[in-house]
Amino acid sequence: MSRKTNFFLTMFLAFLLMLMFPTALTTVLYHNMNAVIKEDVQNSSNAMLRQISLMIDSRLHEVEQLAIQISFHPKIIHMFSRNETSGALSVFQYKEIMDTLSFHFITNGFIQDRYVYFNKQDTVVTPYVRSDASDFYQFYYKYEELSEDEWLKFLRSSSDQAEFLPAMNVAGKSTGGNGRLITYRHSIPIGTQRPSEGAVVILIDAEQIRMMLSNLESANKARIFIADKEGRLLVRSGANEQINEAELNLDKLVEGEFTEYSDHSGGERLMATKYVSKETGWQYISLVPHSVMMAKVNRAEIWALTLLGICILFGLLGAYLLAKRLYSPIHNLVSSILKRDSDDRNKIKPEFSLIEETLSQSWRSEEALKVVVDQQVPLIQSNFLNRLLNGIVDTGTLNEESLRFMGFRFDSEWFSVVIINVDDFRQIKLANAEQQWAMIRFIISNISQELLGRRGVAHAVETELSRLVLLVNLHVEDEREGLEYMESVIDELKNVIESRFNIVLSIGISGIRQHYREIASCYGEALEALEYRIVKGKSSVTYYQEIDRMRDQARYYYPMELEMQLANAIRSGDFEQADRLMKHIEQMNFQSKHISLEMGKLLYFDMMSTMIKIWNDTSERVQHFLVDDFDPLRRLTDCSTLVEMQEQIRVIYQEICDSVIAGQRDPGAVLVDQISAFIDEHYSDNSLSLNMIAERFNLSPQYLSSFFKKHKGINLADYMARIRVEQAKRLLQDPSLSLNRIAELVGYAKDAGLIRIFKKYMGVTPGKYREYMKD
């Protein structure tokens, strides 16, 4: 037998064996079908009886409530509590009872009538009549199957429980000739051990119950019987049923929940089901014809045998086609393997052996490839984390499976980003710089992940040589708890690394954000927080929340008067006064106001411009005392933090002040300072000119001009114009002063002269400058 035929037959026989199992199972299930259908009939009957019980119990509950309301009515109680010496009831008192019965009535289609029976008076009172018991029985409600004495005995019963009379034909005025009623009686008083003094009687229309049963029994041709808890038949469905109540032995009928019953009158077999109401104890019995039940069984048998034959036929055909279809890909797979394999020995191997060997080789290759991939996992994770931090990853497509593939797991919905920058290190000294930085990053990464991992997971990634970024997934309840935890851990982290390893760190921490879609925002916040090391200096910790508070300060403190005082102190060589002014500026901006990083940068740009103005205004004589490579602008721009810039400005101002003091020993320097002071004092005089100043100091205008230029480094006219422009800038801040008035105050006869000079030095007109200042 060929390899192909052998394998195909094996699969075909396997499918046939599989087909035999459901066939045998179907045969076994068929024999149990009869019991299953009987159980289905039982369940259907039980459901129907339960439904009938619920409907009738609700109506009987209303009947009981009506009886209790009547029994406990004050007037009824008062009538029953009268003693014999009180005499007979008056007509008015009977009328009150009749009104009470008329008032207490529940809209219930089951209730035909209600009345109260008084034992002592042997009287019946209804909502419409008061009568002796005998007359009431004869003319209003006369039972065909119950004598008057039996009726009175039923009314005078002392049972504390409610009692029922089975459905009986009752004739009289109230029934309009003849009616079938169930009689409900409850003794009065209720709930006492005293003998019965009377009873509340409610008549229930049995026809209403029978019609309800008839409507429900039509579904499966069932016959329904209702018996009280003593087993007496109260009512049954169908007015012309052939089952005789005398032959209906309820005790034997309901020995089990499900049994068979033979109808002796018709010889028909019936299936009986019983349900007992938990509320009233009434027993509901249904009888389903056996022929109705077996009709389902017979139909099921025909369908079962037909379907079984069809299943066997199509099963054989399907087994053949399925075996052929399943063999086809295996045959194609083997053919493909043989085409790529040049070894002739494989052509005679069994197909499964050949496939197994080929898969084994593929698995070995996969293992080798997995080793290579595992070696690249850190690089893949670092790349993914970098892209996630920078917002390049489409977070909408991320899920647990994709994160797990990248080696990440986010157990919480709260995230924060921490950026650690290495400012300095002293203890770790290795020959190779790369090894040195690798050791530093290893120390920071491990300590950070250990401390931050107490209540979360920290993932580390290197973004620069001296910078490490930590993505922290926090296990906290809310943002406030997360901030408190981060503050405590960051302080501990910084203290451990700086005290044990002498590594100086600056740290920027983002806010606490919810959901990993906000990771890129956290990274931006951490970068912005770290940037504040320019203001705070090295070894600083900045939280993004601090930046939000700083941004509330939209202005820095550096008024023009203070700038002029600082410039004058430097020009006069008074470094102590200049240092006091610098400390005042720093205290007002960085301690009292806490200005933002942007405002801090602008402040120092402004102070740098002041320094450049002072340097440009110094004379060549003063500059002669400085070193040849004195370059204040380069020295300021080389500073990495604002703290370094503060110190450097102090050093530059100190050097300039020293050179000014050294230059003041020259008589020419004293004279030029006197001339400058005279201009500063009389700039508002519109007659101030070169000739006026030369006459004041007994000098010729030509000599004065060259002398001032030599010692001050600026023309006398330019110096006068600059002083007036600076004062005009200060006065323009007062909106109450007009442009003409400002021109007069700074030494110009008309505003045209001020506008021309102001635009020359400031690049804009005074009006535009005032608008900018207002904005």
Side-chain angles (χ1 to χ4, degrees):
M1 184 178 293
S2 67
R3 180 175 59 188
K4 174 180 177 181
T5 306
N6 185 25
F7 181 73
F8 177 78
L9 286 178
T10 302
M11 294 185 65
F12 181 67
L13 292 176
F15 287 135
L16 289 181
L17 183 62
M18 293 174 61
L19 179 63
M20 290 177 61
F21 176 75
T23 303
L25 183 62
T26 303
T27 304
V28 173
L29 291 177
Y30 168 73
H31 291 289
N32 296 324
M33 191 180 300
N34 189 19
V36 172
I37 296 179
K38 286 182 180 180
E39 185 178 357
D40 180 62
V41 174
Q42 175 199 14
N43 293 335
S44 177
S45 299
N46 259 326
M48 179 184 65
L49 295 178
R50 190 177 297 109
Q51 180 183 359
I52 295 173
S53 173
L54 290 174
M55 290 189 296
I56 294 179
D57 286 352
S58 64
R59 300 299 179 88
L60 292 179
H61 181 70
E62 295 177 1
V63 171
E64 184 177 3
Q65 290 298 317
L66 177 61
I68 292 173
Q69 291 176 11
I70 295 174
S71 300
F72 284 100
H73 194 277
K75 292 183 179 181
I76 301 295
I77 294 174
H78 174 71
M79 296 305 175
F80 278 104
S81 62
R82 291 168 55 87
N83 52 37
E84 295 180 357
T85 59
S86 300
L89 296 174
S90 65
V91 175
F92 177 74
Q93 289 173 327
Y94 281 121
K95 181 65 169 63
E96 287 183 341
I97 297 175
M98 294 169 66
D99 293 340
T100 299
L101 292 176
S102 299
F103 178 77
H104 288 284
F105 181 66
I106 300 175
T107 304
N108 188 329
F110 281 13
I111 298 176
Q112 174 75 20
D113 204 352
R114 67 277 187 205
Y115 58 85
V116 178
Y117 173 71
F118 293 89
N119 286 1
K120 295 178 182 179
Q121 291 83 7
D122 193 27
T123 302
V124 175
V125 180
T126 70
Y128 47 84
V129 69
R130 191 272 301 176
S131 173
D132 294 338
S134 178
D135 293 339
F136 184 80
Y137 177 82
Q138 293 294 331
F139 296 106
Y140 290 94
Y141 290 105
K142 183 176 183 179
Y143 294 80
E144 293 184 0
E145 304 171 24
L146 194 70
S147 65
E148 180 179 346
D149 292 337
E150 291 173 335
W151 174 68
L152 288 174
K153 182 179 179 181
F154 172 70
L155 295 182
R156 294 169 181 172
S157 174
S158 297
S159 174
D160 188 47
Q161 300 294 327
E163 294 184 350
F164 292 89
L165 286 177
M168 299 182 186
N169 291 328
V170 180
K173 295 179 180 179
S174 297
T175 60
N178 193 8
R180 194 164 180 82
L181 304 177
I182 297 175
T183 306
Y184 169 91
R185 182 201 65 81
H186 206 300
S187 299
I188 299 177
I190 296 176
T192 63
Q193 301 298 326
R194 292 159 46 191
S196 174
E197 298 179 0
V200 176
V201 180
I202 299 175
L203 300 176
I204 301 171
D205 190 356
E207 184 63 21
Q208 294 288 334
I209 300 177
R210 191 195 66 77
M211 291 175 62
M212 179 190 299
L213 300 181
S214 299
N215 293 333
L216 292 174
E217 72 177 358
S218 59
N220 52 9
K221 300 182 180 180
R223 305 172 188 177
I224 302 172
F225 300 85
I226 301 176
D228 61 12
K229 54 187 176 181
E230 284 80 16
R232 295 179 300 174
L233 183 65
L234 295 177
V235 67
R236 60 183 176 85
S237 63
N240 299 318
E241 292 291 344
Q242 298 300 320
I243 295 180
N244 190 346
E245 290 86 337
E247 297 178 357
L248 183 63
N249 192 331
L250 296 177
D251 294 334
K252 292 183 179 180
L253 181 64
V254 295
E255 288 178 357
E257 291 186 356
F258 183 77
T259 185
E260 293 189 5
Y261 174 77
S262 297
D263 182 5
H264 298 290
S265 60
E268 185 177 9
R269 294 172 59 198
L270 304 172
M271 305 303 297
T273 304
K274 184 186 88 167
Y275 177 77
V276 180
S277 171
K278 296 179 181 179
E279 298 289 335
T280 61
W282 283 18
Q283 303 177 64
Y284 297 85
I285 302 165
S286 70
L287 299 178
V288 181
H290 197 272
S291 59
V292 174
M293 182 199 70
M294 290 308 296
K296 297 181 179 180
V297 176
N298 294 332
R299 288 196 301 272
E301 180 179 3
I302 295 173
W303 276 102
L305 294 177
T306 303
L307 292 176
L308 181 61
I310 295 174
C311 289
I312 293 175
L313 177 63
F314 281 94
L316 293 173
L317 180 61
Y320 175 80
L321 295 176
L322 188 59
K324 185 176 180 180
R325 181 179 180 83
L326 291 178
Y327 175 74
S328 178
I330 295 176
H331 175 71
N332 294 336
L333 177 61
V334 172
S335 299
S336 177
I337 294 173
L338 292 175
K339 287 180 182 179
R340 299 182 61 183
D341 195 349
S342 59
D343 192 351
D344 294 335
R345 291 176 298 178
N346 289 333
K347 296 181 179 180
I348 60 175
K349 289 181 180 179
E351 292 170 326
F352 277 114
S353 298
L354 179 61
I355 294 173
E356 183 179 2
E357 290 182 4
T358 305
L359 288 177
S360 298
Q361 294 176 1
S362 300
W363 290 334
R364 287 193 293 270
S365 300
E366 182 182 355
E367 289 295 331
L369 180 61
K370 185 178 180 182
V371 172
V372 176
V373 172
D374 290 341
Q375 295 174 351
Q376 302 297 322
V377 165
L379 182 60
I380 295 173
Q381 290 181 344
S382 177
N383 178 266
F384 172 75
L385 192 54
N386 259 313
R387 292 187 294 112
L388 184 62
L389 290 170
N390 287 282
I392 301 175
V393 177
D394 183 7
T395 55
T397 61
L398 285 182
N399 51 43
E400 291 185 4
E401 183 178 354
S402 59
L403 289 172
R404 187 167 54 250
F405 175 76
M406 291 294 178
F408 293 94
R409 186 182 79 251
F410 295 151
D411 298 328
S412 170
E413 60 182 3
W414 295 100
F415 294 89
S416 181
V417 173
V418 179
I419 302 180
I420 301 176
N421 190 81
V422 179
D423 293 333
D424 193 9
F425 56 90
R426 303 176 183 87
Q427 182 171 328
I428 302 175
K429 300 294 182 182
L430 298 177
N432 189 298
E434 185 60 35
Q435 292 180 357
Q436 187 169 308
W437 279 110
M439 178 61 69
I440 293 172
R441 291 193 295 267
F442 175 78
I443 293 171
I444 297 174
S445 175
N446 279 270
I447 295 176
S448 302
Q449 289 178 331
E450 180 180 354
L451 295 179
L452 291 169
R454 294 172 182 171
R455 294 184 64 183
V457 179
H459 302 281
V461 62
E462 304 166 9
T463 57
E464 296 179 15
L465 181 65
S466 61
R467 185 166 294 180
L468 190 71
V469 179
L470 297 170
L471 173 60
V472 187
N473 184 212
L474 294 167
H475 295 169
V476 294
E477 296 296 331
D478 51 32
E479 183 179 1
R480 180 189 59 79
E481 183 182 352
L483 290 174
E484 293 176 355
Y485 171 70
M486 290 296 291
E487 289 177 0
S488 62
V489 174
I490 294 300
D491 291 342
E492 182 180 359
L493 168 66
K494 192 171 185 298
N495 292 334
V496 169
I497 295 178
E498 291 186 348
S499 61
R500 294 187 182 180
F501 302 98
N502 287 332
I503 301 175
V504 181
L505 304 177
S506 290
I507 305 176
I509 304 99
S510 74
I512 309 299
R513 294 296 189 96
Q514 196 172 14
H515 204 278
Y516 53 76
R517 296 190 182 94
E518 302 291 333
I519 291 175
S521 299
C522 289
Y523 181 57
E525 292 176 358
L527 282 174
E528 193 171 349
L530 184 65
E531 191 177 358
Y532 267 74
R533 65 190 287 270
I534 298 176
V535 178
K536 293 186 173 182
K538 297 179 179 179
S539 187
S540 61
V541 176
T542 306
Y543 293 87
Y544 183 73
Q545 287 72 19
E546 299 178 33
I547 301 176
D548 283 344
R549 293 193 293 270
M550 292 178 182
R551 282 174 175 161
D552 293 337
Q553 304 294 337
R555 297 177 180 273
Y556 61 81
Y557 174 78
Y558 190 50
M560 186 178 298
E561 294 84 354
L562 191 59
E563 181 183 13
M564 293 184 63
Q565 293 177 23
L566 179 62
N568 291 332
I570 300 299
R571 291 190 185 104
S572 63
D574 188 356
F575 178 72
E576 293 183 0
Q577 174 65 12
D579 187 55
R580 284 195 296 271
L581 293 173
M582 288 280 292
K583 290 179 179 178
H584 176 66
I585 294 170
E586 294 166 5
Q587 193 273 336
M588 290 299 294
N589 287 285
F590 298 108
Q591 296 179 21
S592 300
K593 296 183 66 174
H594 297 290
I595 62 174
S596 65
L597 174 62
E598 294 76 8
M599 290 294 107
K601 289 180 179 179
L602 293 176
L603 170 63
Y604 276 95
F605 290 155
D606 207 349
M607 293 182 69
M608 285 176 65
S609 69
T610 302
M611 188 275 297
I612 294 172
K613 292 176 185 177
I614 296 172
W615 175 242
N616 290 333
D617 290 344
T618 57
S619 63
E620 295 179 358
R621 174 182 55 80
V622 173
Q623 297 178 7
H624 176 71
F625 291 96
L626 298 169
V627 296
D628 294 337
D629 60 347
F630 183 74
D631 188 353
L633 184 59
R634 179 184 58 79
R635 288 163 62 178
L636 286 175
T637 55
D638 288 344
C639 296
S640 60
T641 67
L642 296 184
V643 176
E644 294 178 7
M645 193 176 291
Q646 292 173 7
E647 298 302 325
Q648 193 60 241
I649 287 179
R650 277 188 171 85
V651 173
I652 293 171
Y653 283 170
Q654 177 74 63
E655 295 176 2
I656 295 176
C657 287
D658 292 343
S659 66
V660 169
I661 293 173
Q664 286 177 351
R665 298 171 185 172
D666 184 359
V670 175
L671 179 59
V672 79
D673 289 340
Q674 292 176 353
I675 295 172
S676 298
F678 180 80
I679 295 172
D680 293 343
E681 183 178 356
H682 297 86
Y683 70 89
S684 60
D685 187 353
N686 58 13
S687 62
L688 182 68
S689 64
L690 177 63
N691 293 330
M692 175 187 174
I693 298 171
E695 183 179 352
R696 169 69 176 78
F697 289 95
N698 297 318
L699 299 172
S700 66
Q702 293 80 8
Y703 177 77
L704 174 61
S705 177
S706 61
F707 173 79
F708 193 89
K709 172 69 175 178
K710 177 181 177 181
H711 286 80
K712 199 70 174 177
I714 186 173
N715 292 328
L716 181 65
D718 289 338
Y719 183 79
M720 292 170 52
R722 288 187 179 182
I723 293 297
R724 286 171 169 169
V725 167
E726 292 298 326
Q727 293 301 321
K729 287 166 59 178
R730 179 179 63 84
L731 296 173
L732 284 169
Q733 297 182 17
D734 187 354
S736 63
L737 296 176
S738 65
L739 193 57
N740 283 326
R741 179 57 179 161
I742 293 173
E744 293 175 1
L745 292 174
V746 297
Y748 291 101
K750 296 182 178 180
D751 59 353
L754 174 62
I755 294 173
R756 178 177 57 81
I757 295 299
F758 196 94
K759 187 171 183 180
K760 175 183 176 182
Y761 286 96
M762 297 303 297
V764 294
T765 63
K768 287 290 185 181
Y769 181 81
R770 172 174 275 179
E771 291 180 7
Y772 295 153
M773 292 297 292
K774 186 183 298 183
D775 294 339

